[in-house]
Amino acid sequence: MNKHSAEREQLDGIGVSPGIACGKAFLHISGFPEYKEEIVLEEAIPQEIDKVKRAFEQTSHDMEHIKTQASDSESKDLTGVLDAQILIVADPEFQNQVIDKIECMQYSAIFAFTSSVNDNIEMLSRSKDPYMREMVADIETVSNHILKHLLGERHKELTGFSEPAILFASYFNPGEILEMPNLNVTGFVTEKGGPTSHMGLFAKSLGIPAVVAVRANLKQIPSGSRIVVDGNKGIVIVNPADDEWEEYQKISHARREARFKRFEQIHELPSSTRDSHHVEIMANLDLPTSLDEILAHEHVGIGLYRTEFLYLKRANFPSEADQTKVYYDIAKKFAPQNVILRTFDLGGDKLTDYFKSEFEINPALGWRAIRFSLDVMPIFEVQLRAMLKASTLKNVSIMLPLITTLDEVQKAKRLLEKIKKDLHEEKAAFDEDIKFGIMIETPAAVMIADYLAEEVDFFSIGTNDLTQYTMAVDRNNKRVAKHFQVFHPAIIYSIKKTVEAAHKAGKPVGICGEIAGDPLATKLLVGLGVDSLSMNPASIPVVKGILPKIGFEEALKFSQKILKLTTEKEITETLMKDFKESNLNNSLNKKGELKNA
Ligand code: PEP
Ligand code: MG
C-alpha cells in the first residue's frame, strides 16, 4: 500500500459480520509488546513473584466481569469465548513459567512475563494446526490484560468519536468490541482472526460490520481516510471514489435508519392508558450511545443516569468542572425533559483502579453505593456540587442508590443543604428547587418506606437489586439465576407497599429496574400505581405501544388479582395468559418488537 496515496484501494479479508459500514479510519494499536531484559536484586524476587500472582488474579476477576457484561448484553451465546480466555489465565503452567523465570534468572516481573508470552506466541504462530494459530489472539488478549495490571496502569480505553469511525487493529478483545456501539464505531478491520474467531461472533451479535484477516499492513492507512467495510463480501475499500462513497453511505444510512425507525415518532404515542391515566416512560442511560440524539428528539426523559460509569472509565476521579460539564451536557441535551442523576453506585463489583477497597467476601453486601459515598465525603461533595451546578435548566434531579436507613438520607440531605449554602456564597447558579429522591432497592427501604417518603421528593424502585436482596440471590451468579424471580410475590408486594407509602406522602414513584421494560409486566405495574417506568431504550417503543391498550381500572383490578397469588409460577402464568387474552401480544412480532414499526 502506498502510504501517501489517496487513491482507491481494496483490501481483501474475511467478512465475519455482515453489513456495510462507512466512516473515518482510526488505528487502534494492539498486539503484544516486547520489553528490554531487566534483572532484579535477589531480595526483590518475592515481591516480583507477588506482582505476577496479583496481576493474574486481577485479570481473572476482570474477565469474569466482562463475561457477566456479555451475558447481560445481546452477546449471551458468546461467553464460551471468554470461558476459553478465563481458562488461559487460570492455567497454572502459564503462571509457573513466569515465576520460574523470576526465580531462576532473576528477571523482573514484567520482563519474565513478556518474554514468556512472546515465546508462547512464537511457538503457536509456527504451528501447522490452524486451531493453535487462532489461539494466539486469545493469548494476546489475555496477556495484554495481565500486562496492564503488572504495569499498574488503567486499560488504555478507547474514547468516543465525534463522527462514525472504523477501527483498525491487529485484533480486538471482547471488552473492546462490546464498547464499540457506545463509541460511535460503525465497523472494524483486523489483521488477525479467522472465520470462527471470537471477534466475528461479538461483532455479529452487536450488528457491527467487520472484516478480519486482511492481507495488508494496516498501520500504513492514514488516520482519517474514508473507509467502507463490506462485511458481506469481506472487503475493505480505502479512499473510495466520491460516487462510490455516496452509494455506500446510502446503504449504511438505510441500515442505521432501520434501527432508529422503531423510535421515530414515539413521542406521538400517548404516554397514558386508553382511559388517560398518565405513566411517564423514560430511559436508563449508562454511557452515551448513538440513540441519545433520537431519544432526546423524541422527548424521552432520563429516569436513571448511572454516573458510576463515568468514574469507571477514568484513571482518577473526575474533577468538579469535568463532572459539571458531563451532567450539564446531558441535562441540556434532554431539556426540558427530566434527567435523574444517580449519585455513584461504586463499590461491590464496580470499583475503580484508583480507589480499590480491601477484598470483600460478599461485595454485594459490602462497601457500596451510598455507604461508600458517605464514607468518602470529599468525593461525594464534589459530585453533589457538580450536580447542583449542572441544574440551571431546572430539569435535573438527584437520586441516591441502595438506601437502607433514614440516617443515610438525612446525612446526604444535610450535605446537600450545606453545599447549597456554599454555592450561594460563591454566587454560583443552581436550581434551588432541585428534586431529591432515593432508590428503593433493599427490603429495609421497603419496610421503612413510610418514613423515607417524608424525607424525599420521589422514589425510584430498583427491582434488580430489590430482587437480589429480597430473594437472597446474587444477580451475577448464573448458577442461581432461576432463583432470581422478579415476579415472586414478595417483589410484587414490595412494589405495592412502596407505591402506597410514596402516594400517602404525596410523592411520585417510578421503577428503573429491568422489570420496567418487560412488556409482560406493564399492565401489572400500571395497576400497582407506579407513576413512571424507566427502561433500557430498546424497550421504549414496545412499552409505549402497549400502554394505550390498557385501561387503568382494569389494570387496577388485575393487580389486585395478582397480589392474591402465592407463587412466582402462578403469577408468571397469569401475566402470560392475560397478555394473550388482552391482545397485548398483537402489538409485538416474534422478536418482541413492535409490529409495523
Ligand atoms: C436496580 O438495582 O434495579 C437498578 C436500576 O440499579 P442498578 O441496576 O444500576 O444496580
Ligand atoms: Mg441497583
Side-chain angles (χ1 to χ4, degrees):
M1 155 160 308
N2 179 352
K3 204 172 171 179
H4 302 291
S5 156
E7 274 170 30
R8 180 190 189 280
E9 211 157 339
Q10 181 173 318
L11 314 177
D12 295 323
I14 303 170
V16 287
S17 177
I20 307 286
C22 297
K24 295 280 174 72
F26 181 84
L27 184 70
H28 176 62
I29 310 288
S30 51
F32 195 75
E34 287 191 19
Y35 276 73
K36 269 209 234 122
E37 185 176 306
E38 201 180 16
I39 307 290
V40 293
L41 295 173
E42 205 176 336
E43 304 87 87
I45 288 178
Q47 204 184 329
E48 296 299 289
I49 293 176
D50 200 46
K51 274 190 209 162
V52 170
K53 287 186 178 163
R54 257 186 296 131
F56 272 76
E57 212 176 279
Q58 284 166 329
T59 305
S60 300
H61 182 268
D62 293 347
M63 309 281 310
E64 290 289 351
H65 186 67
I66 294 174
K67 191 174 136 186
T68 313
Q69 267 185 298
S71 49
D72 283 351
S73 78
E74 293 157 42
S75 326
K76 276 195 181 78
D77 51 333
L78 305 173
T79 47
V81 175
L82 292 161
D83 281 332
Q85 296 181 354
I86 288 167
L87 280 180
I88 295 176
V89 193
D91 180 359
E93 220 172 286
F94 185 14
Q95 201 178 124
N96 288 340
Q97 220 181 11
V98 183
I99 292 175
D100 281 353
K101 284 196 176 197
I102 300 175
E103 278 176 339
C104 307
M105 321 281 283
Q106 270 181 247
Y107 284 160
S108 70
I110 288 181
F111 183 67
F113 177 69
T114 50
S115 56
S116 298
V117 173
N118 281 319
D119 290 350
N120 290 335
I121 289 176
E122 204 193 318
M123 190 188 72
L124 289 169
S125 309
R126 276 194 267 114
S127 167
K128 291 207 172 79
D129 181 347
Y131 172 76
M132 298 288 263
R133 288 201 305 272
E134 276 222 348
M135 260 180 74
V136 169
D138 281 337
I139 294 198
E140 283 185 348
T141 301
V142 166
S143 304
N144 269 307
H145 219 113
I146 299 172
L147 182 62
K148 280 163 194 159
H149 283 300
L150 267 181
L151 291 168
E153 284 176 359
R154 284 278 302 142
H155 290 205
K156 191 166 163 280
E157 303 286 359
L158 297 169
T159 48
F161 297 93
S162 54
E163 53 185 325
I166 306 286
L167 294 192
F168 287 78
S170 167
Y171 69 91
F172 288 101
N173 65 42
E176 288 167 335
I177 298 172
L178 283 172
E179 280 279 283
M180 290 182 185
N182 298 325
L183 303 171
N184 206 9
V185 172
T186 54
F188 70 81
V189 182
T190 66
E191 283 172 350
K192 293 189 178 156
T196 58
S197 87
H198 71 257
M199 292 186 289
L201 301 176
F202 276 81
K204 229 187 281 175
S205 76
L206 294 169
I208 301 171
V211 175
V212 304
V214 167
R215 288 181 292 280
N217 183 356
L218 301 183
K219 288 193 185 111
Q220 291 191 351
I221 295 173
S223 268
S225 310
R226 279 178 177 177
I227 304 289
V228 174
V229 176
D230 186 336
N232 307 324
K233 293 190 188 145
I235 58 169
V236 179
I237 303 169
V238 183
N239 296 319
D242 285 347
D243 51 348
E244 192 181 22
W245 173 248
E246 270 163 36
E247 198 50 42
Y248 271 118
Q249 272 203 318
K250 265 191 219 148
I251 304 174
S252 112
H253 281 161
R255 202 174 151 268
R256 271 166 88 91
E257 264 164 31
R259 192 172 158 234
F260 289 150
K261 202 167 169 16
R262 295 176 54 214
F263 288 86
E264 267 171 23
Q265 270 109 43
I266 50 170
H267 72 277
E268 284 175 12
L269 287 171
S271 222
S272 49
T273 59
R274 64 165 184 267
D275 42 2
S276 306
H277 173 80
H278 182 77
V279 179
E280 186 74 21
I281 303 296
M282 305 177 90
N284 290 351
L285 200 71
D286 305 333
L287 293 164
T289 74
S290 47
L291 279 177
D292 286 7
E293 300 296 337
I294 191 146
L295 289 174
H297 183 258
E298 294 300 315
H299 308 183
V300 176
I302 302 303
L304 168 65
Y305 179 65
R306 292 178 163 105
T307 59
E308 63 274 11
F309 281 83
L310 199 83
Y311 292 78
L312 290 167
K313 298 254 113 244
R314 297 176 56 118
N316 44 38
F317 268 110
S319 67
E320 183 180 315
D322 284 352
Q323 290 186 65
T324 307
K325 179 169 179 348
V326 173
Y327 303 151
Y328 180 77
D329 286 350
I330 291 163
K332 190 166 164 224
K333 187 183 273 179
F334 288 90
Q337 309 304 323
N338 193 16
V339 171
I340 302 180
L341 302 175
R342 176 173 78 180
T343 62
F344 43 65
D345 189 358
L346 282 174
D349 60 349
K350 285 188 269 189
L351 269 176
T352 58
D353 276 5
Y354 48 92
F355 212 97
K356 281 226 187 305
S357 70
E358 282 161 26
F359 173 75
E360 292 181 296
I361 289 182
N362 233 330
L365 305 182
W367 197 44
R368 203 195 134 176
I370 189 66
R371 301 167 186 179
F372 176 96
S373 298
L374 290 173
D375 283 354
V376 196
M377 278 286 201
I379 286 169
F380 193 31
E381 183 165 348
V382 165
Q383 185 172 42
L384 292 177
R385 279 178 64 91
M387 288 179 171
L388 276 169
K389 282 183 162 182
S391 68
T392 50
L393 300 174
K394 296 186 178 286
N395 65 331
V396 166
S397 306
I398 296 175
M399 177 163 79
L400 309 177
L402 211 80
I403 292 297
T404 50
T405 70
L406 199 61
D407 183 49
E408 288 163 341
V409 183
Q410 289 166 341
K411 264 192 193 150
K413 265 177 84 175
R414 278 200 297 274
L415 179 61
L416 193 73
E417 288 313 310
K418 173 201 152 318
I419 297 172
K420 282 184 179 177
K421 234 168 99 198
D422 292 348
L423 292 180
H424 268 302
E425 279 166 21
E426 294 164 30
K427 302 206 175 355
F430 66 94
D431 178 7
E432 300 271 359
D433 304 315
I434 194 163
K435 297 272 185 283
F436 180 77
I438 56 168
M439 291 191 69
I440 300 291
E441 46 185 354
T442 63
V446 173
M447 302 303 273
I448 60 165
D450 287 318
Y451 313 133
L452 293 170
E454 296 296 334
E455 291 286 336
V456 298
D457 297 314
F458 65 93
F459 281 166
S460 183
I461 307 174
T463 45
N464 308 339
D465 275 317
L466 185 59
T467 308
Q468 155 162 273
Y469 296 120
T470 305
M471 301 300 296
V473 175
D474 179 349
R475 62 192 261 193
N476 296 318
N477 184 342
K478 249 196 195 150
R479 201 175 253 182
V480 288
K482 68 171 186 286
H483 301 291
F484 190 88
Q485 299 176 349
V486 73
F487 291 133
H488 188 282
I491 308 299
I492 309 302
Y493 182 74
S494 299
I495 296 173
K496 172 189 148 68
K497 182 166 180 345
T498 306
V499 172
E500 280 175 358
H503 287 177
K504 204 167 86 195
K507 312 286 167 71
V509 54
I511 297 191
C512 62
E514 286 302 299
I515 196 175
D518 183 345
L520 208 58
T522 310
K523 186 168 170 183
L524 169 63
L525 300 178
V526 169
L528 288 171
V530 298
D531 302 294
S532 62
L533 295 169
S534 185
M535 60 198 72
N536 176 323
S539 301
I540 292 178
V542 180
V543 174
K544 270 205 114 175
I546 286 176
L547 204 53
K549 298 190 167 184
I550 298 171
F552 183 52
E553 285 305 318
E554 160 204 332
L556 204 71
K557 279 197 197 118
F558 181 61
S559 69
Q560 281 157 359
K561 176 174 155 189
I562 295 282
L563 280 162
K564 291 200 183 100
L565 303 178
T566 49
T567 66
E568 186 255 357
K569 188 164 177 279
E570 273 180 297
I571 293 179
T572 310
E573 281 170 3
T574 311
L575 292 178
M576 292 216 278
K577 191 161 168 278
D578 179 79
F579 194 72
K580 278 191 201 136
E581 284 173 3
S582 310
N583 279 332
L584 297 178
N585 58 335
N586 273 0
S587 21
L588 307 181
N589 66 20
K590 280 191 185 138
K591 284 198 240 153
E593 294 162 346
L594 205 59
K595 272 186 192 164
N596 307 322

